[in-house]
Amino acid sequence: MLRIGVDLGGTKIEVVVLDGEGKELFRKRIPTPREYIATLDAIESLVNEAESTLAQKGSVGVGIPGVISPFSGLVKNANSTWINDQPLDIDLGERLGREVRVANDANCFAVSEAVDGAAAGKGVVFGVIIGTGCGAGVAINGKVHGGGNGIGGEWGHNPLPWMTMDEFNTTSCFCGNQDCIETFISGTGFVRDFKAAGGNADSGIEIASLMKSGDMLAKAAFDRYIDRLARSLAHVINILDPDVIVLGGGISNIEAIYPMLPELLSKYVLGNECHTPVVQNIYGGSSGVRGAAWLW
């Protein structure tokens, strides 16, 4: 059976079709309309085009930057605000004539990497996306663990663990709280911290490049960053103890993270022992849309 995945992002909608073995058969992306009915039209059109091209129908999964509330049945927490408070899965299902499964895009990332990516074959996978923002998802035996409230994996909106005095009450998050993990370890937070210390860069990758060339401000900013990342992930290990952590997003491309992080994790994990693998994703920007296809 064909599996159709749709990644509904703030700027683009992408569709991919996988066969039963995970081989990609079709892919297309279009700009995202910033209006609900137009978004439904766009997704319906992409699915119809894919099925027409391949002359087969398939299951449909959709990854969104939010979740379907298990209580109201409506989208919540989406930064693509025009889909909030809408029954997206029901409306798409009626248009396409079949059940449509919808999950958070970070959960889709975790599922993709758990099924046939960097965490293939692992039971409990914590998938982290660190880019402009910071999100995470949980996959258990290759399936989304959304949780009873539909917010499983929303790790970025917990406070930074083990805060120092100079970190406390220093950041504000769009969610309304202060000192969220996202405000420190997102690419945005990394750049903010570097600039506050007198540096000049527009991305975490640029700071890492400056560090490699010997820039001491960049090295100090990275040391702060990797320590904050270790604290944040140690918190997850102390609660969930996943079999593997997979990093995605732009920050995951900083090579220096991978040799440095294991030693720092052991410093913060209970008992000072930690052998949890932290690995880079395999599918990059395609992982979310592939994970949407694997929702079935």
Side-chain angles (χ1 to χ4, degrees), residues 79-93:
N79 57 17
S80 300
T81 55
W82 58 94
I83 66 172
N84 281 328
D85 302 315
Q86 300 288 351
L88 181 67
D89 54 341
I90 301 300
D91 288 344
L92 283 174

Side-chain angles (χ1 to χ4, degrees), residues 28-83:
K28 185 173 181 178
R29 67 168 56 183
I30 60 173
T32 302
R34 302 181 69 85
E35 192 272 329
Y36 182 64
I37 297 301
T39 296
L40 294 176
D41 291 341
I43 294 173
E44 181 182 12
S45 176
L46 283 172
V47 171
N48 287 341
E49 181 179 346
E51 292 183 331
S52 176
T53 299
L54 297 171
Q56 292 185 64
K57 287 190 173 294
S59 59
V60 179
V62 182
I64 64 172
V67 296
I68 301 283
S69 166
F71 309 112
S72 70
L74 307 178
V75 176
K76 65 178 182 178
N77 302 337
N79 57 17
S80 300
T81 55
W82 58 94
I83 66 172

Side-chain angles (χ1 to χ4, degrees), residues 43 73 132 136 145 156 188 205 208 216 223 236 271 277:
I43 294 173
T132 304
H145 175 70
T188 306
I205 295 294
M216 296 308 295
D223 287 345
V236 173

Side-chain angles (χ1 to χ4, degrees), residues 109 113 117-119 126 128 244-248 252 258 261 276-282:
F109 168 79
E113 296 296 330
F126 191 69
V128 179
V244 61
I245 295 171
V246 184
L247 301 186
S252 72
Y258 300 97
L261 197 54
T276 305
V278 180
V279 299
Q280 188 174 10
N281 67 88
I282 285 180

Side-chain angles (χ1 to χ4, degrees), residues 4-202:
I4 301 170
V6 178
D7 182 17
L8 171 54
T11 59
K12 55 88 178 171
I13 302 174
E14 185 170 25
V15 65
V16 69
V17 182
L18 306 179
D19 68 11
E21 303 301 316
K23 179 183 177 183
E24 185 178 310
L25 304 176
F26 179 92
R27 178 188 293 266
K28 185 173 181 178
R29 67 168 56 183
I30 60 173
T32 302
R34 302 181 69 85
E35 192 272 329
Y36 182 64
I37 297 301
T39 296
L40 294 176
D41 291 341
I43 294 173
E44 181 182 12
S45 176
L46 283 172
V47 171
N48 287 341
E49 181 179 346
E51 292 183 331
S52 176
T53 299
L54 297 171
Q56 292 185 64
K57 287 190 173 294
S59 59
V60 179
V62 182
I64 64 172
V67 296
I68 301 283
S69 166
F71 309 112
S72 70
L74 307 178
V75 176
K76 65 178 182 178
N77 302 337
N79 57 17
S80 300
T81 55
W82 58 94
I83 66 172
N84 281 328
D85 302 315
Q86 300 288 351
L88 181 67
D89 54 341
I90 301 300
D91 288 344
L92 283 174
E94 289 177 353
R95 284 173 174 245
L96 296 171
R98 75 204 82 166
E99 181 186 353
V100 173
R101 293 181 180 172
V102 175
N104 176 262
D105 50 10
N107 281 323
C108 290
F109 168 79
V111 166
S112 173
E113 296 296 330
V115 171
D116 64 350
K122 300 295 186 180
V124 180
V125 177
F126 191 69
V128 179
I129 302 175
I130 309 176
T132 304
C134 168
V138 180
I140 299 177
N141 296 326
K143 303 294 184 183
V144 168
H145 175 70
N149 298 299
I151 56 170
E154 286 290 358
W155 154 80
H157 295 288
N158 291 316
L160 181 72
W162 300 290
M163 270 186 282
T164 62
M165 290 300 295
D166 61 344
E167 290 169 337
F168 187 71
N169 266 357
T170 58
T171 71
S172 297
C173 186
F174 76 87
C175 75
N177 290 318
Q178 290 186 300
D179 300 330
C180 287
I181 286 170
E182 175 167 312
T183 65
F184 287 97
I185 70 164
S186 63
T188 306
F190 191 11
V191 169
R192 173 191 56 77
D193 178 71
F194 182 52
K195 288 183 174 180
N200 183 27
D202 294 322

